[in-house]
Amino acid sequence: MYNITLIPGDGIGPEVISSAKKIIEATGLKVNWDIVNAGINVYKKKGVLIPNKVFESIEKNKIALKGPITTPIGSGFRSINVMLRKKYDLFSNVRIVKTIPGVNSPFKNVNLIIFRENTEGLYSGIEKKISDNSAEAIKIITKNASLKIAKTAFNYAKKNNKNKITVVHKANIMKLTDGLFLDCVRKISKEYPDIKLQEIIVDNMCMQLVMNPSQFEIIVTTNLYGDILSDLCAGLVGGLGLVPGANIGNNMAIFEAVHGSAPDIAGKNIANPTAIILSGAMMLNYIGETKKSNLILDGVSKTISEGKYITRDLGGSSSTTEMTEAIIENMLTIKKFMS
Ligand code: ATP
């Protein structure tokens, strides 16, 4: 029995988290879900964005599946997502961007993983108003965090027999900050002589990605570039509804989709649940339940490639719940076939 924290979150969060929960249960995994909530809805009821029992649950279980949480715009509110990543030193943000056959996209063979530094950079939250006409933000880059994300990316490459890593930076302009990040990645790369390190400046990377994304496999980069490149890459494979992610530290991990709370489609039962379902599959992989994780991947792929029960962002007309039920049906068929 696994104890897992489940945070529904805001906007489409509760709808897609409910799908992911059903799918994970359909694999046969025995889970004791600890359901706690944070975000705007909680704030409206209780006056706090993130109640203590959310922290307690994450600290106890060390593993969470989380829906998107909206941070109110304006001063006085720090992003909950950023705060959780920093508080628990979840230093690597891993995002898997992979073509799913059947999805309408000009690119057919995208298969890349983004390792985004998750705790510093321009997300440090250090901003200062200088005068009525100017403000500044401080970008923090440390050797410690840069070495850790680089090591994570290279370890992953080695374990998965990949022979190239692309580091994305802007060290030609930000010589001290991005320069330090680049130096750290170079330093770690020396420990892995069989893996080639490719260095690309972030603006060129954007162009290369939209021209020929299949030339890249593993990307390692700083916090803000990683955030922007993730959404760009999501666009290459059919949109934000498809891309899963994980925030991983040394002994704790929070799994969540790349997308936000999508208030424009919230409460309509039309959100694509795939991204959070695949985040759930990443979570099962993380806890060593590889077979069950693969069953989810196969069920999702089959459902999307059949194209009968898919949500409207993918060109279909099914609801979130119909797509979820179709995935479960396909998983059960695959399971029967395998046994
Ligand atoms: P945030 O600041 O939290 O990232 P955002 O509004 O910038 O939020 P998203 O909430 O990710 O970004 O939404 C961006 C667009 O993608 C919206 O038009 C939204 O409807 C769409 N979108 C996001 N997630 C999904 C999904 N799961 N299914 C369908 N469309 C989605």
Side-chain angles (χ1 to χ4, degrees):
M1 178 73 86
Y2 292 94
N3 292 311
I4 299 177
T5 300
L6 192 71
I7 306 171
D10 292 312
I12 59 172
E15 300 160 63
V16 293
I17 279 282
S18 152
S19 296
K21 180 172 174 283
K22 283 186 203 149
I23 300 273
I24 290 169
E25 285 166 357
T27 66
L29 192 81
K30 297 275 172 286
V31 188
N32 174 22
W33 298 105
D34 194 1
I35 304 177
V36 287
N37 211 359
I40 286 275
N41 287 331
V42 174
Y43 183 75
K44 281 181 191 154
K45 279 191 216 140
K46 301 191 173 159
V48 280
L49 273 173
I50 179 156
N52 271 339
K53 61 181 182 186
V54 176
F55 295 120
E56 284 160 16
S57 176
I58 297 173
E59 284 162 25
K60 181 164 64 80
N61 298 325
K62 311 254 182 284
I63 183 155
L65 183 63
K66 173 184 156 303
I69 288 177
T70 309
T71 305
I73 295 176
S75 55
F77 295 102
R78 281 202 67 197
S79 160
I80 292 177
N81 305 315
V82 174
M83 188 267 280
L84 287 174
R85 293 164 187 175
K86 279 190 85 157
K87 182 175 170 71
Y88 296 122
D89 195 21
L90 306 174
F91 55 87
S92 54
N93 189 191
V94 186
R95 292 170 160 187
I96 301 177
V97 186
K98 201 169 175 199
T99 299
I100 302 178
V103 173
N104 188 17
S105 158
F107 304 105
K108 298 291 166 238
N109 295 306
V110 181
N111 186 6
L112 50 87
I113 300 202
I114 299 171
F115 288 87
R116 162 192 178 197
E117 200 295 317
N118 215 13
T119 57
E120 53 182 32
L122 270 169
Y123 280 66
S124 305
I126 310 170
E127 286 192 290
K128 203 162 76 184
K129 187 173 169 186
I130 309 289
S131 71
D132 282 347
N133 302 318
S134 65
E136 64 183 23
I138 296 181
K139 171 164 165 165
I140 308 257
I141 298 287
T142 65
K143 198 169 166 183
N144 183 34
S146 306
L147 291 173
K148 279 202 288 194
I149 190 71
K151 188 90 189 158
T152 308
F154 275 90
N155 271 344
Y156 175 88
K158 188 173 172 195
K159 211 169 144 200
N160 291 278
N161 295 317
K162 305 282 184 190
N163 54 18
K164 188 180 90 171
I165 288 194
T166 306
V167 57
V168 181
H169 65 93
K170 189 85 186 174
N172 53 331
I173 303 298
M174 277 161 275
K175 293 176 193 291
L176 295 183
T177 48
D178 281 19
L180 176 59
F181 183 79
L182 184 57
D183 279 349
C184 290
V185 178
R186 284 178 181 157
K187 185 164 184 250
I188 295 292
S189 84
K190 294 211 170 72
E191 297 169 19
Y192 299 81
D194 298 336
I195 302 169
K196 181 178 177 278
L197 179 65
Q198 178 188 31
E199 300 176 2
I200 299 201
I201 293 173
V202 63
D203 38 350
N204 180 21
M205 184 66 180
C206 293
M207 197 253 323
Q208 297 287 342
L209 275 168
V210 295
M211 299 280 291
N212 178 16
S214 39
Q215 65 182 300
F216 301 109
E217 281 188 298
I218 299 176
I219 295 170
V220 61
T221 191
T222 57
N223 207 336
L224 181 64
Y225 307 148
D227 183 42
I228 297 169
L229 291 179
S230 300
D231 274 30
L232 187 156
C233 290
L236 303 173
V237 295
L240 280 168
L242 296 172
V243 181
N247 304 287
I248 303 180
N250 281 331
N251 67 347
M252 190 185 274
I254 300 179
F255 295 81
E256 64 183 339
V258 169
H259 64 70
S261 58
D264 51 335
I265 57 166
K268 296 180 180 164
N269 196 21
I270 58 171
N272 185 346
T274 305
I276 191 74
I277 291 170
L278 295 181
S279 305
M282 283 176 86
M283 181 174 81
L284 297 203
N285 213 12
Y286 173 86
I287 59 176
E289 296 284 353
T290 320
K291 268 194 192 158
K292 291 185 167 59
S293 172
N294 288 340
L295 179 63
I296 296 179
L297 301 185
D298 292 343
V300 167
S301 287
K302 191 167 188 301
T303 309
I304 292 179
S305 60
E306 285 169 352
K308 207 169 158 200
Y309 296 105
I310 51 173
T311 45
R312 43 183 89 171
D313 56 309
L314 299 178
S317 58
S318 297
S319 65
T320 310
T321 35
E322 283 163 346
M323 185 167 175
T324 307
E325 278 155 22
I327 295 171
I328 292 175
E329 192 115 317
N330 276 327
M331 282 166 54
L332 296 178
T333 311
I334 295 165
K335 211 168 156 184
K336 228 183 251 164
F337 182 73
M338 304 285 265
S339 58

